[in-house]
Amino acid sequence: MAPKLTNGDVDAAPLAQKKRIAVMTSGGDSPGMNGSVRAVVRTSIARGCEAYCVYEGYEGLVTGGDLIKKMEWEDVRGWLSEGGTLIGTARCMTFRERPGRLKAAKNMIQKGINALVIVGGDGSLTGADTFRGEWPGLLEELVQGKEITKEQQKTFQYLNIVGLVGSIDNDFADTDATIGCYSSLGRICEAVDYIDATAFSHQRAFVIEVMGRHCGWLALMASVSTGADFLFIPENPPDKDWEDQMCGIIGKHRKLGKRKTIVIVAEGAHDKDLQKISPITVKDLLSTRLKLDTRITTLGHVQRGGNACAYDRQLSTLQGVEAVNAVLDATPDTPSKFIAMIENKIVRNPLMEAVASTQAVAKAIEAKNYDEALKLRGPEFAEYYKAYMTTTATDQPELRLPKEKHMRIAIIHIGAPAGGMNSATRAAVAYCLSRGHTPIAIHNGFAGLVRHHGDKPLGSVRTVAWLDVEGWISRGGSEIGTNREVPSKVGLGETAECFSQYGFDALFLIGGFEAFTALSELRRSRKDYPAFRIPMMLLPATISNNVPGTEYSVGSDTCLNALISYCDAIKQSASASRRRIFVVETQGGRSGYIATMVYTPEEGIDLNMLARDINHLRESFATDQGQNRAGKLILNNEHASATYTTQVIADMIREESKGRFESRFAIPGHVQQGGTPSPMDRVRAVRLAVKCIQHLESYAGMSHQQIVDDELSMAVIGIKGASVVTGAMERLEREETNWKDRRPKDESWMRYKKTVDTLSGRPRVEGCCKECGREYK
């Protein structure tokens, strides 16, 4: 059921005049495209517009007729979780010629459509911009041919277009992520994780080919996510002696005791002379020179298929909403825009500038200007490449610091386990070793440090070698152990004595709000304990995503993926029986980030809220005309209310349904803490961990007083908006922390709450009677 909106809904955009907005998918399909279509359709309707879908891409636009279909609210129910594109995509040579675009213009005018959202790659988006540029001339030609009237020409004199980039290759410039890329990366990582196990068992080498004809993003991120031994990408091909270089690195790894070898090759890989490097070439080299039992695996189109991961569902939804807002904000003079993601922020960027930069990469590669190609991929790509090269092989003399700059860096996990903790630890250890530092793992948190550091034969404070952590990149949980006890619980004095005894020069903390609390206690105790006057850095890692100073915490994406897999399975049951509702309880402490959907601690629960929702459910089921996917889900945070628990809510819904529908409750519990970390949590853990150690090593050689005088000597790394930031602890404690509820004062995800409610059809408070909860008619 479509909601009745007031100003302030859907990102506080003003209500639109009646407008017809069409959405289409074009080019190669990618997971998440259906989420974009759903978001465009429902946001258009919620904003007072009419929504249309163009089936079969540009072919549908040229053919017209039934391939351009008006969409209603219920038509896109259940689309968010579907893979591929349900409205189809097809290559259309006809649209590339002006007569084809003339037909497309006529079909749009006949349907009354004057705005178009295109989900596709650079070719599809370039075609859309060309279409827009020719639009006045096309209409003039149609008038002269008496195929449209002068009045129609005047009414439809302007065409607004907005692009959404759907591409598993993540090959589009001026955005950090394209719709579908993380789902595809997930398929690759899952396959490599499986291959890794059999490679270890038989001491084999595997050469794995992944998609990426002109872009190495998938190959690079897969290498970072799986700890591959060597990598081939088109943007930065290996030197002429790459055979010796690869065999040297892999040979060293084998001599250190590594039992398996993984080499990842992008399908467009080549050497510096543009000569193709094939998986067969690599396999033959490993087999003959290193005498390794080597196999080739080409993943193929399995990378493109399947349901969208949590991130792609979020990305496609938020970008779809923003696309409609951009269409309605546009003027005839507004250049064509596409919706981009920079770090953690949705932005509108100029379309044709990004297309030009995207195409410039291929030209730079063709011209053998690889530095320019790497630069054009953007700073994030370059950072990940550098992080991979730094952490994949520890024996790199050119990276080592002078001996006087070497530090003893302690690493500790605090709080509940979160996916990516081990990935961050592995990266930190590898980076430390490559720079000459001594990485020291503190096992089982501060409790382990104080109570078990002197245990025999093995204490809790242990120097770490590269082989100790080499296989940790894909492991869930915490390999060095973690618990919730903070220094004040185990003794600040005893903690300081251990710091002094083991000569820690820096401390790297990985954890959630307990880790934040621990760092706060250590900061405030510096005046009493000189051992704490060392640089300390916190990498937020918690499924609750509730650490001040960041909008993203390592482990939150793994949790979301585990939860949506659980909910997809639950929703199948709900849909099969059609008139069934499941109330699912989520974790997350007193932060509602994981739930976001309905009941969160930030908003709480009251009887009026429940009455509104139950009445909405009654009306929704009453108007159900037998559609598929008619089951429903409600998410409830475990701490949203002490009174209205998940079971109580389910029971109330069942009681008030008057037999029209039934309800069940489900509690996934610790399943949400995840097993194998998601690719996003892995790659961000690696990147942020390297940045943390780089920050810590910048204090090498400084006196205790110099360190204390620098407010950033105790800091939290985070992602805020479009930037990676370092926040000083003292300021974060004072200005940004809600200590009572153990969360930031300003939670960034709360700005999406209205959007989520709107797209789900949930009625807002403003449109309902406060007494009975019913919507005003």
Side-chain angles (χ1 to χ4, degrees):
M1 179 184 296
K4 299 174 178 61
L5 291 191
T6 60
N7 276 344
D9 286 308
V10 189
D11 294 342
L15 289 173
Q17 295 178 347
K18 200 73 168 180
K19 197 179 187 80
R20 292 182 176 180
I21 301 173
V23 59
M24 59 180 279
T25 55
S26 179
D29 66 297
S30 61
M33 280 185 163
N34 293 317
S36 295
V37 174
R38 170 184 176 270
V40 171
V41 167
R42 289 196 167 182
T43 305
S44 297
I45 295 170
R47 292 291 307 272
C49 305
E50 293 182 359
Y52 285 76
C53 280
V54 180
Y55 283 72
E56 310 305 338
Y58 283 115
E59 187 68 40
L61 209 57
V62 172
T63 304
D66 292 339
L67 292 182
I68 304 177
K69 177 186 174 186
K70 184 179 179 183
M71 303 296 284
E72 302 298 341
W73 188 269
E74 295 297 330
D75 291 338
V76 292
R77 179 189 286 181
W79 284 30
L80 187 60
S81 60
E82 297 288 338
T85 166
L86 293 173
I87 61 174
T89 179
R91 301 195 182 280
C92 181
M93 300 304 294
T94 308
F95 188 80
R96 295 187 179 185
E97 306 296 331
R98 185 177 174 88
R101 295 193 289 273
L102 191 68
K103 289 181 181 178
K106 178 184 175 181
N107 290 329
M108 288 183 65
I109 290 171
Q110 286 179 337
K111 295 286 186 178
I113 297 167
N114 49 9
L116 186 61
V117 177
I118 306 96
V119 190
D122 65 317
S124 302
L125 299 183
T126 300
D129 187 72
T130 301
F131 189 41
R132 184 195 183 196
E134 292 180 349
W135 184 260
L138 293 171
L139 264 58
E140 182 62 34
E141 194 172 332
L142 289 169
V143 169
Q144 291 176 0
K146 297 184 178 180
E147 296 190 64
I148 65 171
T149 65
K150 281 279 188 182
E151 289 75 16
Q152 285 176 312
Q153 181 186 26
K154 184 177 180 181
T155 301
F156 298 99
Q157 59 184 312
Y158 304 116
L159 172 66
N160 291 327
I161 69 162
V162 174
L164 300 179
V165 189
S167 167
I168 66 168
D169 294 328
N170 200 15
D171 56 354
F172 204 76
D174 300 336
T175 184
D176 288 342
T178 57
I179 295 167
C181 68
Y182 275 100
S183 297
S184 179
L185 180 60
R187 310 279 180 275
I188 296 170
C189 290
E190 185 177 34
V192 176
D193 288 345
Y194 292 156
I195 288 168
D196 197 80
T198 189
F200 183 90
S201 300
H202 298 277
Q203 299 193 61
R204 283 182 179 143
F206 275 84
V207 182
I208 300 169
E209 185 180 55
V210 302
M211 286 185 172
R213 192 174 299 116
H214 301 295
C215 179
W217 187 87
L218 281 174
L220 172 60
M221 294 304 181
S223 297
V224 173
S225 300
T226 61
D229 295 86
F230 209 78
L231 161 72
F232 294 94
I233 58 174
E235 294 89 344
N236 196 23
D239 295 327
K240 290 184 178 180
D241 65 343
W242 66 266
E243 294 100 333
D244 295 334
Q245 186 182 0
M246 182 184 72
C247 290
I249 289 174
I250 292 173
K252 284 179 182 176
H253 290 178
R254 289 285 178 158
K255 286 178 182 176
L256 286 170
K258 191 172 182 182
R259 289 177 56 88
K260 40 86 176 178
T261 297
I262 300 291
V263 176
I264 294 182
V265 183
E267 62 178 323
H270 53 77
D271 63 18
K272 286 193 181 294
D273 293 323
L274 299 178
Q275 298 301 306
K276 183 173 177 59
I277 297 176
S278 70
I280 294 175
T281 303
V282 177
K283 176 210 178 254
D284 290 344
L285 191 63
L286 294 176
S287 298
T288 55
R289 191 178 296 190
L290 294 180
K291 309 300 181 187
L292 297 177
D293 181 5
T294 308
R295 308 295 169 90
I296 294 174
T297 298
T298 300
L299 297 180
H301 281 74
V302 72
Q303 298 163 79
R304 191 180 292 282
N307 297 343
C309 67
Y311 180 80
D312 279 327
R313 297 187 195 193
Q314 290 176 331
L315 182 68
S316 61
T317 298
L318 295 176
Q319 287 193 342
V321 170
E322 185 64 15
V324 174
N325 291 338
V327 162
L328 298 178
D329 290 344
T331 67
D333 299 324
T334 303
S336 299
K337 300 285 188 180
F338 82 101
I339 310 303
M341 172 66 86
I342 305 298
E343 295 294 356
N344 209 41
K345 186 178 182 181
I346 301 285
V347 296
R348 304 174 191 176
N349 280 342
L351 173 59
M352 294 316 295
E353 288 181 21
V355 168
S357 296
T358 301
Q359 295 172 348
V361 178
K363 293 176 183 176
I365 292 172
E366 191 176 341
K368 302 180 185 178
N369 188 350
Y370 302 117
D371 289 340
E372 180 66 11
L374 205 58
K375 180 181 176 183
L376 286 167
R377 282 290 176 227
E380 187 184 64
F381 188 95
E383 273 189 36
Y384 277 118
Y385 183 80
K386 188 175 181 180
Y388 169 74
M389 296 303 294
T390 306
T391 58
T392 191
T394 58
D395 186 14
Q396 302 182 68
E398 69 278 9
L399 296 178
R400 291 181 73 85
L401 293 170
K403 194 170 183 179
E404 63 273 14
K405 296 282 189 179
H406 293 177
M407 304 173 75
R408 290 173 58 81
I409 300 180
I411 304 169
I412 189 169
H413 295 179
I414 308 165
M421 278 183 158
N422 294 319
S423 307
T425 303
R426 176 189 180 275
V429 168
Y431 183 84
C432 283
L433 293 170
S434 70
R435 302 287 279 171
H437 304 308
T438 302
I440 303 164
I442 300 174
H443 288 250
N444 300 314
F446 285 104
L449 172 67
V450 171
R451 297 167 188 161
H452 301 288
H453 68 94
D455 287 1
K456 302 296 181 184
L458 197 61
S460 60
V461 181
R462 307 172 197 171
T463 302
V464 191
W466 178 76
L467 199 61
D468 295 333
V469 300
E470 189 280 323
W472 289 10
I473 188 75
S474 60
R475 293 188 191 174
S478 168
E479 288 293 313
I480 65 173
T482 181
N483 63 48
R484 298 177 183 274
E485 292 193 68
V486 293
S488 61
K489 293 291 185 183
V490 298
L492 285 163
E494 292 84 348
T495 303
E497 287 177 12
C498 290
F499 275 42
S500 298
Q501 180 178 340
Y502 292 98
F504 298 157
D505 297 314
L507 180 65
F508 178 37
L509 302 91
I510 304 172
F513 201 87
E514 288 85 359
F516 184 84
T517 303
L519 190 56
S520 172
E521 290 182 355
L522 295 173
R523 185 193 67 78
R524 287 182 278 112
S525 300
R526 271 179 160 179
K527 62 181 184 300
D528 300 317
Y529 301 102
F532 297 153
R533 296 168 192 170
I534 58 175
M536 303 184 194
M537 194 77 173
L538 168 60
L539 171 55
T542 168
I543 68 169
S544 304
N545 198 21
N546 64 339
V547 178
T550 186
E551 296 172 3
Y552 162 83
S553 297
V554 169
S556 58
D557 186 67
T558 300
C559 174
L560 285 173
N561 277 306
L563 187 59
I564 66 164
S565 295
Y566 183 90
C567 288
D568 283 351
I570 289 286
K571 199 168 184 180
Q572 259 191 344
S573 172
S575 298
S577 51
R578 283 189 49 224
R579 295 178 176 274
R580 178 173 290 173
I581 297 166
F582 273 94
V583 184
V584 180
E585 182 174 287
T586 69
Q587 291 186 335
R590 296 197 170 276
S591 170
Y593 170 77
I594 297 300
T596 307
M597 299 292 183
V598 183
Y599 302 126
T600 64
E602 288 80 359
E603 289 186 328
I605 304 175
D606 58 39
L607 278 173
N608 286 335
M609 180 185 291
L610 288 170
R612 285 196 307 273
D613 291 334
I614 291 169
N615 279 317
H616 167 65
L617 291 170
R618 281 203 200 103
E619 292 181 14
S620 179
F621 280 115
T623 57
D624 176 19
Q625 300 299 315
Q627 299 103 323
N628 290 329
R629 308 181 181 94
K632 295 184 182 296
L633 288 181
I634 295 174
L635 300 189
N636 176 48
N637 176 277
E638 60 186 343
H639 292 299
S641 171
T643 302
Y644 301 111
T645 64
T646 302
Q647 182 173 353
V648 168
I649 293 171
D651 290 343
M652 288 179 69
I653 291 172
R654 185 186 305 113
E655 181 69 24
E656 294 295 325
S657 68
K658 310 299 183 186
R660 291 183 181 178
F661 49 89
E662 59 181 20
S663 66
R664 299 282 190 275
F665 71 95
I667 303 176
H670 284 76
V671 166
Q672 296 163 79
Q673 292 185 358
T676 302
S678 72
M680 170 170 282
D681 280 335
R682 296 190 210 183
V683 297
R684 283 189 166 177
V686 170
R687 179 188 179 203
L688 296 177
V690 169
K691 281 182 170 290
C692 285
I693 304 300
Q694 288 172 338
H695 182 78
L696 293 174
E697 71 181 2
S698 68
Y699 291 92
M702 294 176 65
S703 69
H704 280 179
Q705 192 56 51
Q706 288 174 313
I707 292 170
V708 170
D709 289 342
D710 185 346
E711 65 173 6
L712 289 177
S713 65
M714 277 196 166
V716 177
I717 195 168
I719 294 175
K720 279 191 169 185
S723 304
V724 176
V725 297
T726 302
M729 270 302 293
E730 192 275 331
R731 182 186 61 78
L732 293 176
E733 295 171 48
R734 184 181 70 253
E735 298 178 5
E736 297 190 19
T737 306
N738 176 346
W739 288 102
K740 175 178 174 290
D741 294 318
R742 294 165 48 86
R743 63 188 185 222
K745 289 180 180 177
D746 179 22
E747 295 178 288
S748 63
W749 57 266
M750 283 292 288
R751 64 179 177 266
Y752 299 129
K753 189 71 169 63
K754 285 185 178 180
T755 299
V756 172
D757 286 345
T758 298
L759 294 183
S760 66
R762 187 186 185 204
R764 298 297 302 169
V765 176
E766 299 91 340
C768 298
C769 173
K770 292 182 179 180
E771 299 299 324
C772 68
R774 294 185 182 276
E775 283 188 88
Y776 294 125
K777 300 297 183 184

